[in-house]
């Protein structure tokens, strides 16, 4: 039943008699003023989640709480970088482009961590020269490259090693990154992580401060994180035995799960981090090392629930299925260009009619986009009011992460605008692309 479910909409959303309100602004007014498709970010929701992760980390690890690095890849824009700054958390970037957004608003480089499995020479040089806090090493090539560039710049760069601990997170295979057979990091089992330590220790322009792992995405309990942490702590203890000192930092990555569908629950930061802290503390005690400084990198868990996408319904049709059944197709004015996740890895979403009360019976419906691709599906299967019709406004919650950030111009469709809503006011934070923007690239 496609009703408004507060658990999957942003915190300041509600259904007010006959229309959806987000941050005190009517979805109908937002669509009229800014057009559709439209990403609507609940600013207070974003800030609350960012600070909730920060205080949960501090609560769980006390003086050893490191930094919450918001994963920019989940969605970054100038205004988002300002909010991250206002929440006094850090930023995890994995390209020069993401770093440029942070720099453009004066985000402090000493709260930036740089990721990526194939950082270019220019990206490395720039990151080191502006003084980013740390760079996470992903390959032997990169260790040499970063060491050479740091030395050319006369700097000593703080680095972490990305370790693939061989822990498989319980999630869809394509978004799990900690199997051994992946492009990221140094494998623990094969011994390359150990060799990476040696390679870094031999570079005077690199200061090895700790280890990093990121085990996947949409993870709903602390077990996977705890299992990875135990493996990394094993490596920390082996380091202490061989090198006679201790590495001080552990970054346990992101991947904290959120609710997309009714009945799902968003992971509670306090609960997951307290559970993780208990395992990390006892593991450190049992191997006899000091508790390292613990950092994390949530992306989806901060921005995902904050955003609702508004679409306008265009065409509808009935398609006959085997056995005399029919399926209703409802086509909206966006699709895989503004949300690739259903096509990319079968991600599921929910929708409600945002501009009126639904009438009549429910009907099995497939919500599709406007792109020339059969897989251009927003929601494969949803029971939604049978009277959903042209001109209706559909609201899809939990689209803040990997929506706009993965958006494309497929079919030469301009990417939608992003609007922030708070206290009854809406303001554009990323303007809608125009056909003229797209044509301006063609020479
Ligand atoms: C993708 C990624 C994250 C963020 O993942 P979420 O699922 O959005 O929390 C954090 N760190 C690294 C290294 C990543 O690759």
């Amino acid at each position: 039943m496609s009703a408004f479910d507060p658990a999957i909409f942003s915190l300041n959303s509600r259904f007010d008699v006959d229309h959806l309100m987000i941050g005190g602004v009517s979805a109908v007014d937002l669509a009229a003023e800014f057009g559709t498709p439209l990403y609507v970010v609940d600013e207070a929701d974003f800030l609350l989640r960012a600070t909730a992760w920060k205080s949960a980390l501090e609560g769980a690890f006390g003086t050893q709480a490191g930094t919450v690095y918001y994963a920019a890849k989940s969605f970054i824009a100038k205004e988002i970088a300002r909010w991250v700054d206002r929440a006094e958390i850090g930023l995890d970037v994995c390209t020069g482009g993401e770093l440029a957004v942070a720099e453009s608003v004066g985000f402090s480089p000493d709260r930036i961590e740089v990721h990526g499995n194939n950082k270019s020479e220019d990206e490395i040089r720039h990151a080191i020269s502006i003084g980013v806090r740390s760079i996470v090493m992903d390959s032997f090539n990169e260790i040499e490259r970063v060491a050479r560039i740091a030395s050319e710049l006369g700097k000593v760069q703080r680095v972490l090693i990305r370790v693939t601990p061989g822990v498989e997170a319980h999630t869809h295979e394509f978004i799990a990154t900690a199997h051994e057979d992946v492009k990221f990091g140094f494998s623990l089992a094969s011994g390359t992580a150990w060799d990476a330590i040696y390679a870094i220790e031999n570079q005077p322009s690199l200061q090895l401060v700790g280890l990093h792992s990121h085990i996947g995405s949409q993870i709903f309990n602390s077990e996977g994180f705890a299992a990875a942490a135990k493996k990394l702590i094993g490596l920390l203890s082996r380091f202490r035995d061989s090198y006679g000192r201790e590495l001080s930092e552990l970054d346990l990555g992101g991947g904290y799960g959120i609710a997309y569908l009714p009945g799902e629950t968003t992971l509670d930061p306090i609960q997951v981090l307290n559970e993780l802290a208990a395992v990390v503390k006892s593991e450190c005690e049992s191997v006899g090392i000091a508790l390292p400084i613990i950092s994390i990198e949530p992306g989806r868990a901060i921005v995902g629930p904050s955003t609702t996408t508004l679409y306008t319904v265009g065409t509808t049709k009935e398609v006959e299925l085997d056995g005399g059944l029919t399926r209703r197709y409802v086509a909206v004015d966006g699709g895989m260009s503004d949300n690739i996740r259903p096509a990319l890895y079968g991600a599921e979403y929910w929708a409600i009619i945002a501009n009126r009360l639904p009438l009549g019976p429910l009907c099995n419906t497939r919500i599709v986009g406007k792109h020339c691709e059969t897989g251009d599906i927003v929601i494969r299967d949803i029971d939604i009011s049978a009277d959903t019709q042209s001109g209706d406004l559909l609201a899809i919650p939990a689209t803040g992460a990997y929506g706009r950030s993965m958006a494309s111009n497929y079919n030469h469709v301009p990417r939608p605008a992003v609007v922030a809503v708070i206290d009854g006011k809406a303001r554009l934070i990323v303007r809608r692309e125009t056909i003229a923007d797209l044509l301006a690239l063609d020479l």
Side-chain angles (χ1 to χ4, degrees), residues 301-383:
I302 292 176
V303 74
S306 73
T307 300
T308 302
T309 299
L310 300 178
Y311 295 111
T312 304
V313 173
T315 56
T316 64
K317 70 170 71 154
E318 314 289 327
V319 173
E320 296 214 5
L321 308 176
D322 290 342
L325 299 171
T326 60
R327 190 194 320 274
R328 190 136 195 270
Y329 276 77
V330 167
V332 296
D333 52 354
M336 65 191 291
S337 59
D338 59 76
N339 187 354
I340 191 70
R341 295 186 68 254
L344 193 58
Y345 33 67
E348 295 184 289
Y349 285 89
W350 194 246
I352 63 162
I353 298 176
N355 58 310
R356 63 185 174 88
L357 276 174
L359 300 168
L362 298 177
C363 166
N364 179 253
T365 303
R366 180 162 293 171
I367 300 175
V368 297
K370 64 176 285 158
H371 297 280
C372 298
E373 188 77 42
T374 307
D376 174 29
I377 292 169
V378 180
I379 300 176
R380 180 166 288 276
D381 241 317
I382 185 170
D383 287 334

Side-chain angles (χ1 to χ4, degrees), residues 34-100:
F34 300 101
T36 58
L38 185 67
Y39 302 103
V40 183
V41 195
D42 179 338
E43 179 174 349
D45 179 293
F46 182 101
L47 282 164
L48 201 98
R49 286 179 209 274
T51 48
W53 281 99
K54 180 177 158 73
S55 59
L57 188 72
E58 289 164 358
F61 292 98
T63 57
Q64 296 310 92
T67 305
V68 174
Y69 292 101
Y70 169 68
K73 71 176 186 188
S74 60
F75 177 50
I76 193 72
K78 289 179 181 177
E79 185 67 356
I80 301 292
R82 290 185 197 106
W83 297 351
V84 172
D85 193 33
R86 216 196 298 160
E88 296 179 346
I89 63 173
L91 199 59
D92 141 12
V93 301
C94 49
T95 63
E98 290 173 359
L99 183 55

Side-chain angles (χ1 to χ4, degrees), residues 72-343:
K73 71 176 186 188
S74 60
F75 177 50
I76 193 72
K78 289 179 181 177
E79 185 67 356
I80 301 292
R82 290 185 197 106
W83 297 351
V84 172
D85 193 33
R86 216 196 298 160
E88 296 179 346
I89 63 173
L91 199 59
D92 141 12
V93 301
C94 49
T95 63
E98 290 173 359
L99 183 55
V101 179
E103 283 184 86
S104 74
V105 297
F107 196 95
S108 173
D110 69 334
R111 267 187 288 134
I112 296 179
E113 182 161 277
V114 178
H115 274 286
N117 70 305
N118 185 19
K119 308 165 186 80
S120 73
E121 297 245 342
D122 286 348
E123 286 172 327
I124 294 167
R125 188 174 305 278
H126 187 67
I128 297 174
S129 66
I130 65 168
V132 297
R133 178 160 182 80
S134 43
I135 301 184
V136 182
M137 296 289 114
D138 201 275
S139 66
F140 290 109
N141 290 149
E142 187 171 88
I143 291 171
E144 279 176 21
R145 221 173 265 165
V146 174
R148 173 175 48 78
I149 295 168
S151 145
E152 283 165 15
L153 293 169
K155 295 211 179 193
V156 174
Q157 179 62 48
R158 286 166 38 96
V159 300
L160 285 86
I161 294 174
R162 178 157 180 173
V163 177
T164 41
V167 171
E168 193 178 329
H170 292 280
T171 182
H172 194 287
E173 194 186 3
F174 296 128
I175 47 177
T177 55
H179 311 281
E180 302 287 325
D181 189 11
V182 292
K183 71 170 184 170
F184 291 111
F186 295 94
S187 149
L188 186 61
S190 73
T192 57
W194 184 251
D195 296 342
I197 291 178
Y198 183 78
I200 293 171
E201 286 289 297
N202 273 330
Q203 296 286 359
S205 60
L206 301 182
Q207 182 197 357
L208 180 61
V209 295
L211 307 176
H212 170 278
S213 76
H214 172 74
I215 57 168
S217 277
Q218 270 298 77
I219 299 166
F220 285 99
N221 60 54
S222 63
E223 286 162 36
F225 298 110
K230 280 189 181 179
K231 299 240 185 173
L232 296 192
I233 291 165
L235 194 56
L236 290 180
S237 122
R238 190 173 162 202
F239 178 88
R240 187 266 328 268
D241 294 345
S242 294
Y243 290 86
R245 66 183 167 88
E246 291 183 7
L247 295 177
S248 58
E249 295 188 25
L250 217 49
D251 183 331
L252 296 172
Y256 303 95
I258 66 160
Y260 286 96
L261 301 176
E264 294 181 347
T265 37
T266 292
L267 206 57
D268 173 30
I270 295 176
Q271 189 186 335
V272 68
L273 293 181
N274 282 349
E275 286 173 14
L276 185 58
V279 174
V280 167
K281 286 172 189 170
S282 87
E283 196 65 16
C284 287
E285 245 168 61
S286 78
V287 302
I289 61 168
L291 181 64
I293 293 166
I294 306 292
S295 294
I296 55 169
E297 303 167 336
R300 182 197 316 267
I302 292 176
V303 74
S306 73
T307 300
T308 302
T309 299
L310 300 178
Y311 295 111
T312 304
V313 173
T315 56
T316 64
K317 70 170 71 154
E318 314 289 327
V319 173
E320 296 214 5
L321 308 176
D322 290 342
L325 299 171
T326 60
R327 190 194 320 274
R328 190 136 195 270
Y329 276 77
V330 167
V332 296
D333 52 354
M336 65 191 291
S337 59
D338 59 76
N339 187 354
I340 191 70
R341 295 186 68 254

